[in-house]
Amino acid sequence: MTLRIDLTGTPPERIRFAVSPLAELAAMLHVLAAPEHHPQYAGWAAGVWAGLRPELADRLHEAEFLWRSSRADFLVPARPRATLAAELDEVDRIDDDRYALAALVSTCGSNRRTFAGGSPLNDPDARADALDRAQARGPRQEAFAARLLADPPAVRARVRDTLEQCAEAFFDDEWPALTVRLGQDVRRKAELVRRQGLSAALAEVSAAVALTADGGSLVLDKLQDSATAAGPAGVTFLPSAFGHPHLIAVHAPGWQPVVQYPATGGEPAAAVPLDTLQLRLDALAHPVRLRLVRTLARGPHTTGELAHAWDLTPPEVSRHLAVLRRAGLLTARRHGRYVHHALDLPATTELGSDLLAAILR
């Protein structure tokens, strides 16, 4: 399952890396809303919540649908500005229809094509559908969607004011150090593009992002099947200090593609491809291979030893070992004419966390 971004007609200089204060604030708000996704920031999140005024805490709960399960597209700018205020000014220039559609996608838990037939602001059927979906998500989602559909300017002003209060409460204190770190990441990516090409830079963005062999598309390894086009406007990559393990992609019709990725300080981002995870899950789904894994987890064994232990023929064992080996779950070491197979314990142990990271990205 992949998201494909077509680069046909996209000038190379329009594939840009940049720093966005608004996107980083949204990433921080997501951590506050879903700290279980980010155990490394649990202490930071607890400290921020403890220091928030009750009114601001209530506001964050009121609007958390804009950044909790997914990110409203207007919070991940394609054309970043130097300051949060300047980016919020850009959001203010979005018309009500586009703003409402983006907000309702995250509020209603819907995909980005749900309201393709009409705007909920002026299409009665789309409006009813949006309210039904929001109601199914919960009473707070329903209340937020109803307010947005009834009075978009008032809700927009309140959301902006909430974000500005967040800046005063915690973001402004964090941003000077963050902008230095993120700026270093952007400069490194730009240097990689200049010296080694876009593929080298993408390899450091994430193992879940790649350029096709013909250079015509970007492919993001995500749990979805979708496609969009960058066109002449291009695509923007935004590093995030608070983003791990998420790989956020703006790809709705009418929005310029944006990818927000975890900044890694120059180290390649660890991300096990989904096809590798599928191979490992399939390999462990067979009862015979589970028996072999049980034995191999206790120490290295030859094919003959495994066959004898489980009353199998050596060819049968070899076939099962080949499946486990293709999945990256085995190591092998030769001693004379014997090959001893062993379970790769780190790869097996990390399967759970790798699967969670793949789902979250």
Side-chain angles (χ1 to χ4, degrees):
M1 289 179 280
T2 60
L3 166 64
R4 182 176 290 264
I5 302 175
D6 186 1
L7 298 178
T8 302
T10 303
E13 65 274 12
R14 295 293 175 84
I15 303 174
R16 59 180 74 85
F17 291 83
V19 175
S20 166
L22 177 57
E24 191 62 13
L25 173 56
M28 296 166 81
L29 290 172
H30 169 76
V31 171
L32 292 175
E36 66 276 10
H37 293 178
H38 308 270
Q40 71 273 35
Y41 287 118
W44 174 86
V48 171
W49 279 119
L52 289 182
R53 291 180 294 104
E55 180 192 359
L56 180 54
D58 288 343
R59 283 192 174 207
L60 292 185
H61 289 304
E62 170 190 294
E64 70 173 11
F65 328 112
L66 297 178
W67 49 73
R68 183 184 177 91
S69 297
S70 63
R71 212 67 51 83
D73 290 336
F74 55 76
L75 295 176
V76 191
R79 299 179 180 277
R81 301 294 186 241
T83 66
L84 179 63
E87 290 190 326
L88 291 175
D89 288 343
E90 289 293 317
V91 174
D92 287 345
R93 296 186 182 98
I94 299 171
D95 63 56
D96 284 346
D97 279 337
R98 293 184 72 209
Y99 187 100
L101 285 171
L104 289 169
V105 163
S106 54
T107 304
C108 300
S110 309
N111 67 53
R112 282 161 167 75
R113 301 181 187 276
T114 296
F115 306 114
S119 167
L121 292 182
N122 48 46
D123 184 298
D125 291 337
R127 180 189 185 89
D129 183 46
L131 290 173
D132 283 346
R133 290 175 181 273
Q135 184 181 45
R137 300 287 290 177
R140 286 192 299 167
Q141 288 92 328
E142 181 185 14
F144 182 86
R147 289 195 303 272
L148 177 62
L149 292 172
D151 191 353
V155 171
R156 295 180 64 162
R158 185 173 176 85
V159 169
R160 172 165 182 156
D161 184 60
T162 299
L163 297 175
E164 290 173 336
Q165 289 190 41
C166 288
E168 183 179 342
F170 60 88
F171 179 75
D172 288 346
D173 291 336
E174 302 275 357
W175 183 241
L178 291 175
T179 191
V180 171
R181 177 183 170 186
L182 300 180
Q184 290 172 340
D185 187 280
V186 164
R187 287 190 292 276
R188 176 175 174 79
K189 299 299 188 293
E191 184 67 10
L192 279 171
V193 171
R194 188 179 71 82
R195 290 178 175 271
Q196 300 178 39
L198 180 59
S199 291
L202 294 179
E204 281 207 356
V205 166
S206 171
V209 183
L211 187 67
T212 55
D214 62 3
S217 297
L218 296 171
V219 178
L220 280 66
D221 197 14
K222 290 179 68 71
L223 282 172
Q224 61 192 67
D225 286 308
S226 192
T228 188
V235 58
T236 304
F237 288 88
L238 306 175
S240 172
F242 280 76
H244 181 80
H246 304 306
L247 187 69
I248 304 298
V250 172
H251 58 90
W255 294 85
Q256 183 179 334
V258 185
V259 178
Q260 186 183 37
Y261 63 92
T264 56
E267 295 298 323
V272 175
L274 289 177
D275 56 357
T276 299
L277 288 175
Q278 186 66 60
L279 283 173
R280 291 178 179 178
L281 292 173
D282 290 345
L284 296 174
H286 196 287
V288 173
R289 288 194 285 274
L290 275 181
R291 294 188 182 101
L292 296 177
V293 163
R294 182 178 184 274
T295 302
L296 293 171
R298 286 158 173 77
H301 288 72
T302 66
T303 300
E305 289 173 329
L306 291 169
H308 179 74
W310 291 106
D311 195 23
L312 299 167
T313 67
E316 287 176 319
V317 172
S318 295
R319 286 196 294 271
H320 287 299
L321 292 180
V323 175
L324 292 166
R325 190 162 45 249
R326 284 196 298 272
L329 294 175
L330 291 188
T331 61
R333 180 174 296 178
R334 179 176 289 278
H335 296 279
R337 65 191 184 92
Y338 295 102
V339 176
H340 288 80
H341 306 279
L343 185 66
D344 188 328
L345 289 175
T348 307
T349 302
E350 292 168 1
L351 180 57
S353 59
D354 288 340
L355 180 60
L356 180 62
I359 292 170
L360 290 178
R361 72 171 178 255

